[in-house]
Amino acid sequence: MQFNYDYTVQKEKSTQKLILFLGFQHDTFDQFYSHFIDKKCLQDNAFFKIILISKKQNQQSCFLINSPYSLKKCTDFDQDLDQKIMLFSSKINLEQILDNFHEYKVHLVVNGKELLGNDQQEILQNFIDKQLLQFGKIQLKKQYISIIFQEKVNTFSLIIVKDLKSLNLIDLQFLSIELILNTIFKNVSFFEFKISQNPIEVNYGEMSCHMMRQQEKLLKIVNNKIEKLWIQLLNLQQIPKIDECYGLQLSLGKYLEQLNGILNLYLKPKLSVLWKIIYKINQITMTFGNAINKELVKLNQSPQLEQFLKIKNIEFKDLSIKTQLFDINQLKDVNEFFTKYHKYEYDNVILVSIQNFAIIVDFWNKYFKNNLVHKLFQLNQIGKNVQTLPQQDYETGVFLFGKSRVGKSTLINLIQNPQSLTIKKEINEQCYVLKEGIKTQFKIDHGCMSETQAISGMEIDGVWYFDCPGFDDNLSEYNRIAHRINLYNYLKKAKKVIGFLVVDGSIKDAQIIKDTINPLYELMEDKNQLLQEHEKWLSLILVKIKKNARENCIKYWEQAYRGQLDGNYSIFRQMYENNNQCVEFYKAKKKFLNDGEQFEKLKNNTRQKIIDIVQRQLQNKEFKVQFQLMMENKLFYLVQDGIAMLIIKVQHIMLIFKNQFNHYILENQSDVSQKQKIIKQLEPILKEDINQNNLDVTLLKLQRWCQQLIGHEISFFFLDQLISDATSYLKILFYTKNSNIAPFNINTEIIRKNLEIAIDIINQIETSDQNLIRIGMISLIHVVSSVQQLLFESVLINQGQMSVEQRVDKFKNRVLKLKYELHLESQARNERI
């Protein structure tokens, strides 16, 4: 939006006065001076009109300036755009015009019908609150202001306000329009107006209020864009097997390197330089972003990527880098306008989202080549799926082991209540399902995804039965590793372990049997308890098997498996051939439903045989199975990398936390008493430096603190996610019995000092609140400096529609911000020294 004013005042010795009319349409304004013989129109357009009039009898001349739209209301509704343009243009043009009249004395005439209010006092209060006397650097006096109300055709009433603060009024009624100017000349004083060069004092009233609201909106948009880019770049680094995607890794690495170089140039990025930062980001995005997107197309629809997108709950298009973060031309226009007309507030905003983003990008850039982010993501995924340790110990735990979708959940439902099962056709075959209306914690599903993703137990006749996720896992290798850890933790909680290997008896595939036995073999501390003593605690359940199929398989064993199940896997044959160790649960057939008695007998016999085996195993009171959690190579190397980077990760978390905490103190608009309550919660959390002994507890408490602010401060969401990552690594270290974290110390003294200062400032403000004088306007001069008082007045009047209590809260936050900024500046100087 461009505003131009090209009129220059022709100085005349006899002309030293100016009357400024606000809110009158030009045709009404013309009637006020039409009876003057000597009049001259010097400028006339939609936004203002300048007239020079002369009074022949005393040779006095006066300029009349009319601004029809200076009293327009300014809302945030899009349909009011025309009103905003009218108001802004009027304010800005009048600032330029009045600057040309800086040697003149002025009197203000206002159209009362354009003012809000139900009575005189309310109208005058709104007149103050809306800052109608402010035109940027031009500030008019609050004395001798004429307010005109049209009562009927050519009949007006005139209120001359001698002093707005004291509401000293002269009320004149029923004047004809021709008498208005003469009455004003006789009854009012003309004053010089103030022209300020201090950006703190520049104020456009309603226009400034609107710019402040738009600035806050701009900040939210910027934060949202940065946060989306943050998530996008994180996701790209976490893509499965990114180390094998050379083209993607090369382009992404160069992008992060260039991005890091840009962000390092702006350690304290201000809103006023945002367009420069975005311009540079757009440039590298055009080059490397397009290259990244081309490489992504090559990966589209790969099974690993589809699985990754499901975990992340995103679509493929969400991975693509946008060619422009912002439209740079629009951003430059906004910057130019705000710099010119909203400089003080605009130029002092630090973009904490970009500060935090810079810290993260620096971390990514340093450790990109060894795929650290991807490795940490894997650890995080494992940690998320590790269950909380069971709180109780179990006298007896019966565990059903086997691959996914083999029927373990069905068996536990059978053991609990055989009558709960019926037969139904699912995916073109007859299956055991729960009868309609039956509810159970062990769901039965016949799709490609297993319902069981966590170990859960049920007590049946004094014995705990546990349904375990499939050893092969439905979702990912991360879950598979997590399930192994979960299983170990539950096995250790059972004083007496009884196990059943559940195998699909209709499939003669040696590899499936090996995959069922291998995880159990790896968990055994004493392998002989599996290989030689399995009959004391382990049995076999053959599901989906046909009648007489077992006998045939035993007869033709060598032909069926050709030696593939010898050695460590020979236990399968031993259990298969042992009637006391093998249970058959026949394949579901529709004909069973036609003979209910036979069907119930089948279910009851299967249940009873399982229970008999459990009771027999319980007799081996002296036998106790020993388990161990052995890390496979993949997890071992992930954990080692996690340990090496954990401390660096926590240091970055604390840097971001310090930024975010400072931003919360400076910018969050919660009342200061609420802020104080939130801040005090941090004192016991950060009462000492962070070290290897208190790291896990400190991070968990800090995360809970952040979570209560999510929604009020969106950036805390990302801090929460970063802490969640770190706690996941710690969780894995704990469950893998790894205590290789070397002694370390992360100094939190600066943060503790900031807490102390913030609380002290709030205490001062709250104490001073007892002395507040509340008479519509609020005075707190004894608490703040003169500069702060000016800022206070500016903010207070801009918020004219607020209640007294809201104004007080707004003011307290402003004082807190000013004083805390002084502390941060002093802190920065000391750090430099």
Side-chain angles (χ1 to χ4, degrees):
M1 190 185 300
Q2 298 294 324
F3 302 97
N4 295 302
Y5 171 70
D6 57 6
Y7 179 74
T8 302
V9 177
Q10 299 297 317
K11 295 183 180 179
E12 301 180 28
K13 290 183 179 180
S14 61
T15 307
Q16 294 294 326
K17 291 183 179 180
L18 165 67
I19 300 179
L20 177 60
F21 289 79
L22 300 182
F24 298 94
Q25 292 302 309
H26 284 333
D27 55 354
T28 302
F29 166 67
D30 290 340
Q31 296 178 53
F32 289 117
Y33 64 85
S34 61
H35 59 285
F36 282 82
I37 298 174
D38 194 355
K39 53 185 179 288
K40 182 180 180 183
C41 181
L42 305 176
Q43 190 85 343
D44 186 2
N45 60 45
F47 294 102
F48 62 92
K49 191 170 188 177
I50 302 176
I51 303 294
L52 176 62
I53 61 171
S54 298
K55 298 175 70 177
K56 293 293 186 182
Q57 61 270 31
N58 55 15
Q59 297 298 311
Q60 286 187 345
S61 297
C62 180
F63 281 101
L64 308 179
I65 300 177
N66 185 48
S67 177
Y69 307 121
S70 294
L71 303 182
K72 287 290 181 184
K73 311 302 180 293
C74 188
T75 70
D76 284 333
F77 298 114
D78 291 337
Q79 59 265 35
D80 291 337
L81 179 60
D82 289 342
Q83 286 207 80
K84 292 173 192 173
I85 293 173
M86 290 175 183
L87 176 64
F88 292 6
S89 181
S90 299
K91 286 279 187 180
I92 293 169
N93 276 296
L94 277 175
E95 178 186 33
Q96 297 173 1
I97 291 169
L98 292 174
D99 194 24
N100 275 274
F101 285 89
H102 64 276
E103 294 181 356
Y104 286 64
K105 291 183 178 181
V106 66
H107 177 73
L108 183 63
V109 179
V110 180
N111 185 352
K113 289 199 173 180
E114 292 290 314
L115 300 178
L116 297 174
N118 297 314
D119 53 41
Q120 274 190 5
Q121 185 169 350
E122 195 173 317
I123 287 172
L124 294 175
Q125 185 61 57
N126 283 325
F127 188 78
I128 296 170
D129 291 343
K130 296 298 180 183
Q131 283 196 324
L132 301 180
L133 303 177
Q134 298 290 140
F135 299 91
K137 63 184 178 181
I138 308 294
Q139 300 174 26
L140 301 182
K141 294 279 188 178
K142 297 178 182 178
Q143 297 168 313
Y144 280 95
I145 299 166
S146 296
I147 303 178
I148 297 176
F149 295 90
Q150 185 168 1
E151 304 294 342
K152 53 179 95 170
V153 178
N154 202 35
T155 304
F156 297 82
S157 62
L158 173 64
I159 298 174
I160 298 175
V161 183
K162 288 187 175 182
D163 192 335
L164 268 176
K165 289 184 179 179
S166 63
L167 299 182
N168 188 351
L169 311 177
I170 300 173
D171 197 347
L172 302 172
Q173 294 185 339
F174 308 118
L175 299 173
S176 65
I177 198 164
E178 294 85 4
L179 294 175
I180 295 291
L181 278 179
N182 287 332
T183 304
I184 289 172
F185 281 124
K186 288 179 183 178
N187 291 280
V188 305
S189 298
F190 285 71
F191 294 96
E192 292 180 355
F193 51 82
K194 181 181 178 182
I195 301 179
S196 175
Q197 301 303 322
N198 188 341
I200 295 175
E201 298 180 6
V202 172
N203 198 320
Y204 294 89
E206 277 273 280
M207 174 177 156
S208 290
C209 289
H210 181 74
M211 286 192 291
M212 180 60 78
R213 293 193 295 269
Q214 295 307 307
Q215 177 176 298
E216 290 170 359
K217 286 184 179 180
L218 177 61
L219 274 172
K220 287 180 181 178
I221 293 170
V222 171
N223 290 341
N224 184 262
K225 292 273 190 181
I226 294 298
E227 286 155 6
K228 282 185 177 178
L229 182 59
W230 179 330
I231 292 173
Q232 203 169 34
L233 293 175
L234 179 66
N235 288 341
L236 286 169
Q237 294 174 84
Q238 293 173 343
I239 288 175
K241 298 185 177 180
I242 190 172
D243 54 329
E244 298 176 12
C245 308
Y246 179 75
L248 177 59
Q249 192 175 40
L250 182 65
S251 299
L252 184 55
K254 288 181 177 178
Y255 184 85
L256 290 175
E257 183 182 353
Q258 294 291 319
L259 185 59
N260 189 51
I262 290 169
L263 296 175
N264 280 337
L265 297 174
Y266 301 95
L267 299 179
K268 286 191 175 181
K270 291 187 176 183
L271 192 54
S272 54
V273 299
L274 173 66
W275 73 272
K276 295 181 181 178
I277 300 173
I278 299 301
Y279 173 73
K280 293 176 181 177
I281 291 177
N282 282 351
Q283 280 187 314
I284 64 166
T285 300
M286 288 294 290
T287 303
F288 300 108
N290 284 332
I292 290 169
N293 294 340
K294 287 178 182 177
E295 294 297 329
L296 279 173
V297 172
K298 300 175 184 178
L299 296 178
N300 195 10
Q301 297 182 343
S302 70
Q304 293 92 344
L305 187 61
E306 286 183 6
Q307 188 181 78
F308 174 74
L309 295 175
K310 285 181 181 177
I311 290 172
K312 286 288 190 174
N313 194 28
I314 59 175
E315 298 179 14
F316 178 75
K317 64 180 182 180
D318 297 323
L319 293 174
S320 299
I321 301 288
K322 305 297 183 290
T323 53
Q324 280 195 331
L325 196 60
F326 280 99
D327 183 318
I328 195 64
N329 292 324
Q330 288 184 356
L331 206 55
K332 284 181 75 174
D333 289 343
V334 170
N335 181 75
E336 182 180 348
F337 187 85
F338 273 58
T339 300
K340 190 170 183 179
Y341 302 112
H342 196 57
K343 183 174 176 60
Y344 181 78
E345 293 288 353
Y346 181 69
D347 200 40
N348 285 281
V349 178
I350 300 294
L351 292 165
V352 68
S353 59
I354 291 184
Q355 275 187 315
N356 292 341
F357 187 47
I359 293 170
I360 292 298
V361 171
D362 181 65
F363 176 74
W364 291 342
N365 185 59
K366 284 179 181 175
Y367 304 104
F368 180 78
K369 289 183 179 178
N370 65 354
N371 299 304
L372 177 68
V373 171
H374 179 59
K375 292 173 183 175
L376 295 182
F377 169 70
Q378 293 177 76
L379 273 178
N380 184 259
Q381 288 302 303
I382 295 168
K384 283 180 179 178
N385 289 284
V386 171
Q387 292 174 245
T388 304
L389 278 171
Q391 296 299 308
Q392 66 184 99
D393 291 331
Y394 305 96
E395 286 297 324
T396 303
V398 178
F399 292 83
L400 273 63
F401 309 116
K403 292 176 74 67
S404 299
R405 303 179 302 283
V406 75
K408 300 186 291 295
S409 300
T410 302
L411 287 168
I412 290 188
N413 282 305
L414 173 73
I415 297 166
Q416 182 197 26
N417 179 15
Q419 283 71 43
S420 67
L421 295 183
T422 186
I423 293 173
K424 183 181 178 182
K425 192 171 185 178
E426 296 277 355
I427 315 180
N428 295 323
E429 67 173 346
Q430 301 295 332
C431 303
Y432 292 104
V433 297
L434 290 168
K435 289 179 180 177
E436 191 172 345
I438 298 290
K439 294 183 179 180
T440 175
Q441 72 184 81
F442 298 100
K443 294 181 180 179
I444 300 174
D445 188 80
H446 299 284
C448 61
M449 301 289 288
S450 171
E451 284 285 348
T452 305
Q453 293 303 320
I455 296 174
S456 56
M458 175 186 289
E459 190 175 16
I460 305 172
D461 299 330
V463 176
W464 278 90
Y465 288 81
F466 293 97
D467 184 10
C468 306
F471 285 155
D472 54 337
D473 174 55
N474 293 310
L475 296 176
S476 68
E477 59 183 328
Y478 314 130
N479 283 20
R480 182 173 54 78
I481 294 171
H483 291 166
R484 190 80 53 84
I485 296 170
N486 293 336
L487 181 56
Y488 170 78
N489 289 333
Y490 271 83
L491 288 169
K492 293 292 287 184
K493 280 289 185 177
K495 296 177 183 177
K496 176 73 175 176
V497 172
I498 296 171
F500 287 94
L501 286 179
V502 183
V503 176
D504 187 340
S506 67
I507 300 175
K508 299 297 182 289
D509 187 333
Q511 190 57 50
I512 289 177
I513 296 166
K514 289 179 180 180
D515 291 343
T516 303
I517 295 173
N518 282 339
L520 198 57
Y521 180 84
E522 291 171 3
L523 282 168
M524 302 298 299
E525 185 175 325
D526 182 355
K527 309 300 182 187
N528 288 328
Q529 288 188 323
L530 177 65
L531 301 178
Q532 299 175 15
E533 300 178 278
H534 53 81
E535 73 281 356
K536 294 180 180 180
W537 67 282
L538 187 65
S539 301
L540 176 66
I541 301 177
L542 298 172
V543 298
K544 304 178 184 178
I545 193 170
K546 294 181 180 179
K547 210 167 185 178
N548 303 321
R550 179 174 164 233
E551 290 79 1
N552 289 330
C553 188
I554 293 171
K555 184 177 180 180
Y556 298 104
W557 190 270
E558 296 302 330
Q559 290 176 254
Y561 294 106
R562 300 185 182 185
Q564 295 180 68
L565 295 179
D566 293 341
N568 291 345
Y569 306 106
S570 61
I571 62 167
F572 181 74
R573 181 173 185 176
Q574 294 166 26
M575 289 189 291
Y576 199 97
E577 295 176 348
N578 187 341
N579 287 330
N580 291 324
Q581 273 186 282
C582 186
V583 180
E584 296 174 72
F585 186 33
Y586 296 131
K587 184 177 179 65
K589 293 183 178 180
K590 189 176 181 180
K591 70 176 184 178
F592 289 158
L593 296 175
N594 299 325
D595 188 342
E597 185 177 342
Q598 182 185 358
F599 183 38
E600 294 303 320
K601 184 179 179 181
L602 166 67
K603 293 187 289 182
N604 286 322
N605 285 346
T606 305
R607 176 183 184 272
Q608 191 57 51
K609 190 161 187 181
I610 293 171
I611 290 174
D612 289 343
I613 292 175
V614 170
Q615 293 301 317
R616 189 167 57 249
Q617 302 287 18
L618 286 173
Q619 303 308 309
N620 301 318
K621 295 181 179 178
E622 302 302 318
F623 184 78
K624 182 173 176 60
V625 190
Q626 301 296 327
F627 298 97
Q628 65 178 357
L629 182 61
M630 186 175 75
M631 280 193 291
E632 55 189 75
N633 287 338
K634 182 178 183 63
L635 181 57
F636 175 80
Y637 289 114
L638 283 175
V639 169
Q640 293 307 307
D641 282 339
I643 292 171
M645 294 298 109
L646 180 61
I647 309 309
I648 297 171
K649 187 84 172 176
V650 174
Q651 287 172 336
H652 280 91
I653 286 172
M654 296 314 295
L655 278 173
I656 289 173
F657 172 77
K658 186 177 80 168
N659 278 346
Q660 201 61 50
F661 173 79
N662 290 341
H663 182 260
Y664 173 70
I665 298 297
L666 296 171
E667 304 300 338
N668 185 277
Q669 293 305 305
S670 302
D671 62 77
V672 294
S673 60
Q674 177 65 19
K675 276 187 181 177
Q676 186 180 50
K677 180 181 176 182
I678 296 292
I679 296 166
K680 280 188 173 181
Q681 293 173 5
L682 285 170
E683 287 185 310
I685 299 174
L686 298 171
K687 61 184 178 182
E688 58 184 356
D689 291 346
I690 300 174
N691 56 49
Q692 70 280 2
N693 298 318
N694 63 20
L695 176 59
D696 54 343
V697 174
T698 301
L699 287 179
L700 284 171
K701 289 181 178 178
L702 198 58
Q703 185 175 30
R704 292 193 197 105
W705 184 87
C706 290
Q707 286 169 348
Q708 69 180 319
L709 288 170
I710 295 173
H712 302 288
E713 289 284 339
I714 191 169
S715 294
F716 276 110
F717 167 76
F718 294 94
L719 190 57
D720 173 52
Q721 293 300 299
L722 290 169
I723 295 173
S724 180
D725 287 346
T727 52
S728 292
Y729 314 152
L730 286 170
K731 198 175 181 182
I732 292 297
L733 294 181
F734 172 75
Y735 286 125
T736 55
K737 309 299 180 187
N738 196 310
S739 57
N740 294 331
I741 302 180
F744 69 91
N745 187 79
I746 297 175
N747 192 316
T748 59
E749 183 180 355
I750 290 177
I751 296 175
R752 292 198 298 272
K753 184 65 177 176
N754 290 350
L755 291 178
E756 180 187 330
I757 293 294
I759 291 172
D760 185 52
I761 293 171
I762 292 174
N763 284 335
Q764 292 177 33
I765 294 170
E766 292 292 70
T767 302
S768 301
D769 187 26
Q770 304 302 316
N771 302 316
L772 287 176
I773 302 170
R774 305 180 183 189
I775 314 175
M777 296 292 288
I778 305 150
S779 175
L780 200 57
I781 302 174
H782 58 283
V783 178
V784 293
S785 69
S786 57
V787 173
Q788 291 167 336
Q789 178 64 21
L790 285 170
L791 282 170
F792 159 57
E793 289 183 351
S794 171
V795 171
L796 183 61
I797 297 173
N798 277 343
Q799 305 300 329
Q801 295 180 347
M802 288 185 172
S803 67
V804 171
E805 288 74 18
Q806 289 173 319
R807 295 180 186 187
V808 173
D809 290 337
K810 189 79 174 176
F811 175 42
K812 288 178 181 178
N813 266 311
R814 177 51 63 99
V815 176
L816 173 59
K817 177 175 180 176
L818 290 165
K819 287 182 172 288
Y820 193 70
E821 279 177 339
L822 292 174
H823 158 67
L824 292 180
E825 288 169 7
S826 173
Q827 190 179 78
R829 283 195 300 271
N830 291 335
E831 287 177 1
R832 288 194 295 270
I833 293 171

